[in-house]
Amino acid sequence: QVQLQESGPGLVKPSETLSLTCTVSGGSISDHSWSWIRQPAGKGLEWIGRVYASGTTKYNPSLKSRVTMSVDRSKNQFSLKLDSVSAADTAVYYCARDRGRWVSDYWGRGTLVTVSS
Amino acid sequence: DIQMTQSPSSLSASVGDSVTITCQASQDIGTNLHWYQQKPGKAPKLLIHDAINVETGVPARFRGRGSGTSFTFSIRSLQPEDVATYYCQQFDDLPRVTFGPGTKVDIK
């Protein structure tokens, strides 16, 4: 059974960089593409971007200038970096496995990241 | 940009009722739409892909219909475990993947 687990600091200071890692178990990261989605408390879902096993990325244009995603095949992990964060970036961040047709079929449990000084 | 709307924003129905949620796209997206269920405090779960296809393992009481700009998601015989927020997601306007605002479903 495929499982995903997000990890990273739960508190980030304004203007700093948010860094999260998603560890994949029960499957190879080389076989799929991988996404990050976030959800502010009480609000809807926002797609952040996708990284392919090759390292190619697709980002939400609204976040593109601040987002970097990468894959570490040796660790079966992928990561998210979001620069210059503000309170508006406070959210639960989910990682997910994508299959064809932009379906996210396996999700992590999510991790809350709070941006505050 | 493609705008996604959902209606109603919330609904309350009795166990055994049928409920229907509508998702509208601001332009033709074909069948490039999925439906997800999110229970409180949990990650979203894929229910319907490509507008009409029920994901493997998902109960048959969930149904998706539509194409173009108008889509519906239905639950036949609502169950207590169906209490959740339901989101549509379009992937036609890549890479601008967007979710609808969600519809919260409760039991009366």
Side-chain angles (χ1 to χ4, degrees):
Chain A
Q1 177 76 343
V2 175
Q3 294 187 328
L4 291 84
Q5 178 67 59
E6 303 91 349
S7 59
L11 181 64
V12 181
K13 289 182 168 55
S15 81
E16 296 190 345
T17 296
L18 177 158
S19 295
L20 295 174
T21 296
C22 184
T23 300
V24 179
S25 58
S28 172
I29 203 164
S30 297
D31 293 341
H32 292 273
S33 51
W34 308 89
S35 285
W36 289 95
I37 300 100
R38 69 180 183 179
Q39 184 173 38
K43 296 189 178 180
L45 300 163
E46 181 179 31
W47 182 80
I48 301 171
R50 168 191 266 194
V51 59
Y52 294 81
S54 64
T56 300
T57 53
K58 299 286 186 187
Y59 299 141
N60 185 328
S62 68
L63 297 168
K64 184 177 181 178
S65 63
R66 299 194 291 132
V67 172
T68 304
M69 294 182 185
S70 61
V71 169
D72 186 336
R73 286 186 290 277
S74 68
K75 295 182 178 179
N76 229 37
Q77 294 176 334
F78 62 105
S79 66
L80 166 70
K81 292 186 186 299
L82 182 64
D83 296 329
S84 305
V85 297
S86 69
D89 296 309
T90 295
V92 173
Y93 285 74
Y94 295 100
C95 60
R97 188 188 85 167
D98 291 350
R99 64 177 196 232
R101 302 281 294 165
W102 293 77
V103 165
S104 294
D105 59 356
Y106 288 92
W107 295 62
R109 292 185 172 184
T111 187
L112 173 63
V113 179
T114 301
V115 179
S116 175
S117 56
Chain B
D1 297 7
I2 296 177
Q3 306 301 317
M4 305 299 293
T5 59
Q6 284 184 237
S7 60
S9 57
S10 64
L11 66 87
S12 186
S14 299
V15 172
D17 283 353
S18 292
V19 301
T20 298
I21 297 167
T22 298
C23 178
Q24 297 270 4
S26 59
Q27 61 191 70
D28 190 338
I29 60 170
T31 56
N32 294 332
L33 183 118
H34 307 317
W35 289 95
Y36 292 86
Q37 173 194 63
Q38 186 179 33
K39 296 184 178 181
K42 300 294 186 182
K45 174 187 175 182
L46 175 71
L47 296 184
I48 306 288
H49 64 90
D50 301 292
I52 63 171
N53 299 300
V54 180
E55 178 70 355
T56 301
V58 171
R61 65 178 182 275
F62 296 101
R63 173 174 166 167
R65 287 294 181 263
S67 66
T69 62
S70 183
F71 302 85
T72 60
F73 170 82
S74 302
I75 307 173
R76 187 184 75 248
S77 187
L78 187 69
Q79 300 300 304
E81 60 267 31
D82 300 335
V83 169
T85 300
Y86 294 85
Y87 295 94
C88 58
Q89 175 207 30
Q90 71 80 22
F91 59 99
D92 188 73
D93 184 24
L94 297 174
R96 200 171 272 106
V97 175
T98 51
F99 292 88
T103 296
K104 186 175 182 181
V105 174
D106 281 326
I107 300 289
K108 276 184 186 174

